[in-house]
Amino acid sequence: MTVRVRIAPSPTGNLHIGTARTAVFNWLFARHHDGKFILRIEDTDLERSRPEYTENILQGLRWLGLNWDEGPFFQTQRLDIYKQAVQSLLEQGLAYRCYTTAEELEALREGQKARGEAPRYDNRHRNLTPEQEAAYKAEGRSFVIRFKIDDHREIVWNDLVRDQMVWRGSDLGGDMVIARAAADGIGQPLYNFAVVVDDIDMQITHVIRGEDHIANTAKQILLYEAFGAKVPEFAHTPLILNQEGRKLSKRDGVTSISDFQKMGFTAEALVNYMTLLGWSAPDSTKEIFTLPEAAQQFSFERVNKAGAKFDWAKLDWINSQYIHAMPVDKLTDLLIPFWEEAGYKLTGGREERPWLKQLVVLIQPSLTRLVDAVAMSKLFFTDAVEFSEEAAVQLKQEGVAAAIEAVNAALQNQQEFNEASAQDIIKQVVKQQNVKKGLIMRSLRAALTGDMHGPDLIQSWLLLHQIGLDQSRLIKATLESQ
């Protein structure tokens, strides 16, 4: 048997991290078994589905490296298939037309609520006579299609994560609607019906999804059986929770993959972290791995039943590990869009690839997220710097003005400026001005960067010198210190 799994997002919003984590588990399982990973877009919610959400989903999956083998398939292009499937259930007597009005359903619910009963349909139109149907049609009533559920039926399956699951038909709320009303008869299929028809048609062998779908699974198994199809195996994975233990939602801030991307997380780090949300490798000490490496070891035996709490600190740490180990050329390519988004102009020597790579090498060890590069490198993309309060105090210290002036004078006599000559200038000024080296270093940092904290001073000086900014900043600092 060839393993065939699918991810089936609804384009009613951007790609959510919960959906993406489900896609990760499906991808890992498929690759582990040399199977197929199928993409299906469940876009039958015409009011809320948007093309831009579909594009966001496709881009997000590609960015994460979750390449699919078949698809994308769109449910809106399969409506005739669903209608034929509904018709087959009607002809077998497994489904029926229900003419109950919205007002009648509301009255039913209110009565159940008043009696303290769980809401459920009472199957009142399950056995209408032809005459009764004709009478309802004469009234101009529309109808939905309901699938018959035996209240006494016990539904059992062995879940790959949760072991044996048992549901009773009486727990499923009565006969379920599988198609909406429509002027021409059979209307839009509902989720539980369309997903089963699709899974049968696409020969899905394993359905891997969040635990919030467990109740749907019981209903869907009944539909598989009604169609005489082989029931796939099910794996219901733990939900992603916030720090309070509730399901992660938009109220918790960032939840879409595109937002994580904008925040400066790398695709490799994010997909690595999502793999660990509910699963652990056989070697629990190993937390950094690629998708293919995880796929080699993936199994549902190591997927937790309990919800997985989202940990920002852990994600930041994983992201920093990928950034620190990243080839300079690749990191440079990733940082350029962040600099451009910040309005930094890559001109005046800053557009030169060797200069950019030197800047990347300088800040790389300090980056946690890609977006951190914006603040860290601001001093290299502005012609002049504003002095922080601490830097201004440093520049007012005795002897600083003369020392900076001496540094600038020595700098003008340099035909070639490199790390060695920068150190020589500092030694020369220390001796000439009879001051401590620490005073020179602190004053240079304040003068060149406008702050008392930041990346390596000498390397920063070399970068500023290459784009002609060091001498003008030294002159400004001299004036500030007087």
Side-chain angles (χ1 to χ4, degrees):
M1 176 191 72
T2 300
V3 165
R4 292 175 62 83
V5 300
R6 46 73 168 176
I7 182 70
S10 174
T12 55
N14 290 331
L15 180 61
H16 186 275
I17 189 165
T19 305
R21 199 282 305 270
T22 299
V24 169
F25 280 10
N26 274 276
W27 191 95
L28 292 174
F29 187 75
R31 295 296 175 260
H32 182 82
H33 291 281
D34 243 355
K36 300 294 183 182
F37 176 60
I38 297 157
L39 174 59
R40 187 169 74 223
I41 304 296
E42 298 186 345
D43 57 346
T44 54
D45 187 343
L46 300 179
E47 291 183 0
R48 298 170 57 217
S49 294
R50 297 285 184 275
E52 57 268 30
Y53 293 144
T54 298
E55 187 56 33
N56 179 274
I57 290 167
L58 299 179
Q59 288 181 354
L61 293 174
R62 290 191 191 102
W63 180 69
L64 292 169
L66 301 174
N67 52 305
W68 53 91
D69 303 301
E70 297 176 20
F73 300 104
F74 294 85
Q75 286 189 330
T76 49
Q77 298 173 7
R78 297 170 52 80
L79 296 179
D80 286 343
I81 296 173
Y82 305 136
K83 289 183 179 181
Q84 291 169 15
V86 170
Q87 187 62 41
S88 74
L89 294 183
L90 286 170
E91 292 170 357
Q92 295 176 68
L94 300 175
Y96 61 93
R97 296 172 182 84
C98 173
Y99 296 86
T100 313
T101 65
E103 292 77 16
E104 289 169 343
L105 288 172
E106 180 61 26
L108 174 64
R109 282 191 291 266
E110 288 299 321
Q112 291 168 339
K113 184 178 178 181
R115 296 188 296 273
E117 299 170 358
R120 60 177 283 117
Y121 178 60
D122 59 6
N123 305 341
R124 63 181 64 177
H125 287 179
R126 179 188 279 191
N127 298 307
L128 293 178
T129 65
E131 291 76 20
Q132 288 173 317
E133 281 210 54
Y136 283 134
K137 287 180 181 178
E139 290 179 25
R141 292 198 187 198
S142 59
F143 60 84
V144 298
I145 308 297
R146 287 186 182 270
F147 174 72
K148 295 179 181 178
I149 294 178
D150 180 359
D151 280 352
H152 303 291
R153 169 66 194 276
E154 190 174 69
I155 306 146
V156 182
W157 76 91
N158 186 53
D159 196 277
L160 296 177
V161 174
R162 301 171 187 283
D163 304 323
Q164 189 179 74
M165 304 292 294
V166 181
W167 282 69
R168 293 190 62 81
S170 56
D171 298 328
L172 301 180
D175 294 341
M176 69 170 165
V177 178
I178 58 175
R180 296 183 178 91
D184 61 346
I186 298 172
Q188 286 279 113
L190 270 68
Y191 166 77
N192 276 316
F193 182 78
V195 72
V196 169
V197 174
D198 286 339
D199 285 347
I200 293 171
D201 193 42
M202 297 173 190
Q203 300 178 312
I204 300 303
T205 61
H206 297 76
V207 175
I208 303 164
R209 56 192 179 190
E211 65 178 47
D212 49 341
H213 282 282
I214 289 176
N216 290 330
T217 298
K219 297 175 182 177
Q220 290 167 15
I221 286 175
L222 296 177
L223 284 167
Y224 283 109
E225 293 175 351
F227 285 117
K230 179 178 172 57
V231 179
E233 293 193 66
F234 291 92
H236 290 93
T237 58
L239 299 179
I240 301 175
L241 309 176
N242 61 17
Q243 289 304 305
E244 287 73 45
R246 296 189 299 270
K247 183 179 178 181
L248 193 71
S249 69
K250 290 182 180 179
R251 291 188 298 274
D252 299 300
V254 175
T255 56
S256 74
I257 296 302
S258 51
D259 284 339
F260 281 97
Q261 189 175 2
K262 290 173 186 174
M263 290 176 67
F265 292 103
T266 68
E268 297 89 345
L270 185 56
V271 82
N272 188 154
Y273 179 66
M274 285 193 291
T275 302
L276 293 171
L277 279 173
W279 177 80
S280 59
D283 178 2
S284 58
T285 62
K286 182 176 175 60
E287 295 187 304
I288 303 297
F289 40 70
T290 64
L291 272 174
E293 288 171 344
Q296 290 179 359
Q297 306 177 74
F298 186 82
S299 74
F300 284 107
E301 293 173 357
R302 301 194 63 82
V303 172
N304 300 327
K305 293 181 177 66
K309 283 192 176 182
F310 193 91
D311 186 339
W312 284 99
K314 182 69 167 290
L315 174 57
D316 275 332
W317 178 79
I318 291 175
N319 202 59
S320 70
Q321 301 308 298
Y322 277 94
I323 289 177
H324 298 166
M326 192 175 290
V328 173
D329 270 316
K330 179 178 179 180
L331 184 54
T332 303
D333 289 335
L334 292 179
L335 292 181
I336 287 174
F338 285 92
W339 286 325
E340 291 176 337
E341 177 69 21
Y344 295 169
K345 304 298 182 184
L346 300 183
T347 57
R350 300 181 183 94
E351 78 279 9
E352 296 292 334
R353 186 78 177 185
W355 185 87
L356 284 173
K357 288 172 66 175
Q358 289 176 63
L359 174 57
V360 170
V361 169
L362 177 64
I363 64 175
Q364 184 173 14
S366 302
L367 293 175
T368 297
R369 304 180 186 180
L370 297 173
V371 74
D372 295 342
V374 172
M376 285 185 190
S377 56
K378 182 178 180 180
L379 69 98
F380 299 101
F381 289 100
T382 51
D383 291 337
V385 293
E386 297 298 322
F387 300 114
S388 69
E389 184 177 345
E390 197 177 358
V393 169
Q394 174 63 33
L395 293 176
K396 292 294 185 182
Q397 290 193 32
E398 183 179 351
V400 168
I404 294 177
E405 200 166 6
V407 168
N408 203 12
L411 183 61
Q412 294 179 41
N413 295 326
Q414 295 292 322
Q415 292 185 341
E416 183 179 342
F417 187 65
N418 52 38
E419 186 172 352
S421 52
Q423 295 288 2
D424 288 342
I425 288 175
I426 293 169
K427 291 177 184 177
Q428 175 185 327
V429 173
V430 166
K431 185 175 181 181
Q432 175 188 328
Q433 298 294 316
N434 193 28
V435 294
K436 292 184 177 180
K437 182 179 179 181
L439 177 75
I440 302 295
M441 298 297 284
R442 290 192 298 274
S443 302
L444 271 176
R445 180 173 290 282
L448 293 172
T449 72
D451 205 349
M452 298 307 296
H453 312 279
D456 182 85
L457 174 59
I458 300 299
Q459 296 305 315
S460 298
W461 188 4
L462 294 177
L463 282 167
L464 291 168
H465 182 80
Q466 290 177 50
I467 54 176
L469 290 182
D470 55 340
Q471 291 190 48
S472 61
R473 291 188 184 181
L474 291 172
I475 291 170
K476 179 182 178 182
T478 302
L479 296 173
E480 178 75 17
S481 61
Q482 292 175 348

